[in-house]
Amino acid sequence: MNLEIPDGLGDLLRDFTVSVLRERPGDLYDFAVEYFTRARETRRPKEVPMYIVVDSDEEAGEPDPEMFKPKNTRNRYARRQSVSAERYDPEEDDDDEDRVVHPKTDAQRERLTEAVSGILLFRSLDSDQMQEVIDAMFEKKVKPGETVIRQGDDGDNFYVIDDGIYDVSVNIKGSEKQVHTFDNRGSFGELALMYNMPRSATVIANSAGTLWAMDRNSFRRIVLKSAFKKRKKYETLLENVTILQSLDVYERMTLADALHSKVYQEGEAIIKQGDDADGIYFVEDGHIRITIDNPEGSEQEIATRSTGTYFGELALIENKPRTANVYAVGKVKVAFLERECFERLLGPCVDIMKRNSQLYTMYVGK
């Protein structure tokens, strides 16, 4: 199966980002529903500007279309100026083929590990894949005033900030408008690599600094392939969950993308009776046992469950503390869906969960 970005997806996401930056909605999810409902009704083809997604209160406007016209060859930058839309097939990609390893000292690996630890893009990667990320990244020193990426250029690298201050700007009707500043942390450059589109903003170093960079091919092989494998794995898991049969293919795919794995060892508590409900769990691999606390202080085992079952949903639906304990039997791997995502993505299933109490007794609804 080929992993290809559908036509128009990049434009649609960029247009939505611009609307968010302009209107600053109080509830992003309600705004998204209204926005995409209007977009579906109109479906009028139009030119949409490209933006970088930033955490900023600044209002963004439309970039100058002249920025994206072919440049005179005499003034071309060293980077490529045209977007290459090469096909990437994760199923045919050999994990070991073209793997890039940049040697690092122990101190560099420690700094890089800390720098990438909070990046959302890498959250779904396992420990081996994270080592690939660290191996594939190389150090880049920058000077004050140096342009790291330029709006309109083709994407070559993904960057993680080790230290330094970096200003982000977009060209709006011929003038540069600063929309964000990275201060000694953060990452940028992923959109052009993920969507095969030109750089959507310019990033200039405001101080001397150090960046960690990953080339385009390594980024796609590690990040995109891992996302593909994760989605396929979780789609298969979710297809076997009876209560989720009411979800359509797209809803199940969206749910799969929101899950992330957690591993528990023998005897480790996954949830404890009386705790606040933080999410719902799906058993990927292994066995669990469920107990309830007795008044005299002991615990009574009431059930066991294995791969393909789930638990933790009733506490979310009823907005009550956990009513049972769940422990790992041997090594257990679960897929976890956070509370906020549960409420947003499993809306079509909640009424069924509430109504079908007879079906619920087949599962651990605690």
Side-chain angles (χ1 to χ4, degrees):
M1 178 184 296
N2 293 331
L3 182 64
E4 298 183 70
I5 303 300
D7 291 341
L9 177 60
D11 290 345
L12 183 64
L13 294 177
R14 290 191 297 268
D15 200 11
F16 173 65
T17 302
V18 172
S19 297
V20 170
L21 292 173
R22 283 177 173 165
E23 301 188 29
R24 305 175 188 174
D27 189 310
L28 183 59
Y29 299 119
D30 288 345
F31 179 80
V33 171
E34 295 174 3
Y35 176 87
F36 288 113
T37 299
R38 290 196 305 269
R40 181 180 60 186
E41 292 171 351
T42 56
R43 297 208 176 190
R44 291 196 299 265
K46 59 181 179 178
E47 293 185 0
V48 183
M50 289 167 288
Y51 287 88
I52 189 169
V53 180
V54 298
D55 181 14
S56 172
D57 292 330
E58 293 285 345
E59 181 178 341
E62 182 171 347
D64 184 357
E66 296 293 324
M67 186 67 190
F68 303 102
K69 290 184 178 180
K71 296 179 174 61
N72 187 300
T73 56
R74 291 174 297 177
N75 296 320
R76 293 178 70 87
Y77 294 97
R79 297 186 182 94
R80 296 169 295 168
Q81 299 298 316
S82 61
V83 176
S84 60
E86 67 270 21
R87 175 176 295 184
Y88 175 71
D89 187 346
E91 288 189 322
E92 294 182 0
D93 187 3
D94 187 336
D95 279 337
D96 296 322
E97 186 179 356
D98 299 327
R99 178 171 177 175
V100 176
V101 177
H102 294 281
K104 300 174 182 67
T105 65
D106 290 342
Q108 286 177 317
R109 295 186 73 88
E110 184 176 346
R111 283 168 38 219
L112 179 53
T113 299
E114 182 178 354
V116 302
S117 61
I119 296 178
L120 184 62
L121 271 175
F122 299 145
R123 191 176 73 166
S124 64
L125 301 183
D126 59 31
S127 58
D128 290 338
Q129 291 167 332
M130 281 304 300
Q131 288 304 310
E132 284 193 59
V133 168
I134 293 172
D135 286 341
M137 302 199 87
F138 58 92
E139 192 176 50
K140 177 181 173 64
K141 298 287 187 180
V142 295
K143 300 176 181 179
E146 180 176 343
T147 299
V148 182
I149 63 174
R150 188 183 303 276
Q151 183 174 339
D153 281 2
D154 198 9
D156 50 4
N157 295 318
F158 166 68
Y159 295 95
V160 176
I161 296 170
D162 190 348
D163 58 57
I165 299 174
Y166 304 84
D167 295 329
V168 182
S169 63
V170 294
N171 188 295
I172 303 172
K173 298 180 180 178
S175 63
E176 292 291 321
K177 181 178 179 63
Q178 185 171 326
V179 296
H180 187 64
T181 297
F182 290 107
D183 189 351
N184 287 289
R185 61 181 301 176
S187 61
F188 56 88
E190 72 279 7
L191 293 182
L193 305 188
M194 294 175 70
Y195 299 117
N196 285 320
M197 65 186 190
R199 295 295 193 188
S200 55
T202 296
V203 177
I204 298 176
N206 195 9
S207 69
T210 304
L211 296 166
W212 293 103
M214 181 190 296
D215 69 84
R216 179 189 186 91
N217 291 336
S218 295
F219 177 87
R220 299 182 76 183
R221 180 179 57 81
I222 299 172
V223 178
L224 296 187
K225 182 168 184 177
S226 70
F228 171 81
K229 292 171 65 177
K230 170 179 176 284
R231 172 182 288 177
K232 297 303 292 183
K233 178 181 69 174
Y234 286 150
E235 282 181 342
T236 300
L237 173 69
L238 297 174
E239 284 172 359
N240 296 320
V241 177
T242 306
I243 204 69
L244 301 182
Q245 295 301 313
S246 62
L247 297 179
D248 61 30
V249 174
Y250 176 76
E251 290 169 332
R252 195 175 294 117
M253 178 182 67
T254 304
L255 177 57
D257 288 341
L259 295 172
H260 62 275
S261 291
K262 292 187 175 185
V263 177
Y264 297 88
Q265 304 299 326
E266 165 66 33
E268 190 174 355
I270 302 174
I271 63 175
K272 291 290 290 181
Q273 186 170 333
D275 287 351
D276 292 334
D278 55 351
I280 181 173
Y281 298 80
F282 299 86
V283 182
E284 287 188 56
D285 185 48
H287 299 268
I288 59 170
R289 64 184 186 93
I290 303 98
T291 70
I292 56 174
D293 295 337
N294 290 323
E296 62 272 17
S298 62
E299 294 184 24
Q300 177 185 350
E301 184 173 310
I302 58 173
T304 60
R305 293 291 181 267
S306 59
T307 303
T309 56
Y310 66 96
F311 56 94
E313 77 290 348
L314 285 187
L316 296 178
I317 293 171
E318 298 173 356
N319 197 27
K320 295 179 179 179
R322 301 292 192 189
T323 56
N325 308 295
V326 178
Y327 297 97
V329 179
K331 184 178 180 180
V332 176
K333 189 175 185 180
V334 299
F336 179 66
L337 182 69
E338 295 176 349
R339 182 186 191 110
E340 179 181 301
C341 294
F342 172 85
E343 295 169 347
R344 176 164 52 92
L345 299 176
L346 287 183
C349 299
V350 170
D351 287 339
I352 298 175
M353 289 177 174
K354 290 179 179 178
R355 289 198 307 266
N356 207 340
S357 58
Q358 184 177 6
L359 179 61
Y360 251 44
T361 59
M362 299 169 57
Y363 299 89
V364 182
K366 300 295 182 181

